[in-house]
Amino acid sequence: TVEMMRVNQILPVALSNYDGVIVGAPIYMRSYPRLIRKWVAQHGQELNKKQSAFFSVCMQVLQKDEQSQRDLLMISETFFKKTAWYPKRRKVFAGAVVFSRYNVFVRYVMKSFSVRAGKPLDVHHDYEFTPWTEVARFSDDFISSLRLPEKSSPDGLVFSN
């Protein structure tokens, strides 16, 4: 059985009732949302005792330059360090740009990101860049790993028996 919950709708949850946990969150303005940071920090020890995975969505992943990639790594590593959670499986995917939901400032910032990524966007349209097939594969691989014990190497690569 799989349950999906939004962090702002989660009642106290007993993670011990689950074989594994996947947490997903967007990166906005170089950080994860406050509710996600708070929830993961509160549950970090328990998440570390379970098989767990983390994915995030961020348009910066489309920028292939080294500095952008280092920035993404720093954002996620800071998150894991502050929350004391270290999932073995982690992935960043491109996300959506929903100009229709943004205020003027956020539209400007997102437009700037799109230009730097070499994909200038029209602020009068919304765009979906999320590779849903890859997201599904990430989730399916994680769920499959729950059926077999895992061994991990020091560099975080996961091997199933």
Side-chain angles (χ1 to χ4, degrees), residues 84-98:
W85 175 42
Y86 302 98
K88 289 181 177 71
R89 295 171 186 258
R90 309 171 189 180
K91 183 80 174 169
V92 180
F93 300 100
V97 178
V98 191

Side-chain angles (χ1 to χ4, degrees), residues 41-152:
Q42 289 172 345
H43 295 88
Q45 283 188 329
E46 197 170 0
L47 286 166
N48 284 326
K49 293 175 185 173
K50 302 200 94 27
Q51 290 190 55
S52 60
F54 180 76
F55 75 92
S56 56
V57 290
C58 180
M59 290 307 299
Q60 192 170 353
V61 77
L62 295 176
Q63 294 178 243
K64 300 300 182 189
D65 62 282
E66 285 184 34
Q67 183 61 48
S68 293
Q69 299 306 307
R70 278 194 304 270
D71 287 349
L72 276 175
L73 183 61
M74 189 265 319
I75 291 165
S76 61
E77 291 305 315
T78 299
F79 170 74
F80 296 125
K81 190 173 189 175
K82 285 184 177 180
T83 60
W85 175 42
Y86 302 98
K88 289 181 177 71
R89 295 171 186 258
R90 309 171 189 180
K91 183 80 174 169
V92 180
F93 300 100
V97 178
V98 191
F99 286 114
S100 61
R101 293 187 193 165
Y102 301 154
N103 63 35
V104 173
F105 175 72
V106 174
R107 263 188 297 231
Y108 173 78
V109 170
M110 295 306 291
K111 172 77 174 179
S112 297
F113 280 142
S114 74
V115 169
R116 280 188 282 171
K119 299 181 183 301
L121 304 176
D122 180 349
V123 298
H124 300 97
H125 299 284
D126 294 339
Y127 299 88
E128 178 64 70
F129 294 103
T130 309
W132 290 110
T133 304
E134 289 180 40
V135 175
R137 188 175 322 118
F138 177 82
S139 300
D140 290 345
D141 289 349
F142 176 76
I143 291 167
S144 294
S145 76
L146 297 177
R147 297 187 185 112
L148 296 171
E150 281 189 344
K151 293 181 183 175
S152 66

Side-chain angles (χ1 to χ4, degrees), residues 12-31:
V13 62
L15 295 180
S16 59
N17 293 334
Y18 298 91
D19 294 325
V21 177
I22 299 175
V23 176
I27 296 173
Y28 293 132
M29 307 304 231
R30 303 183 56 79
S31 185

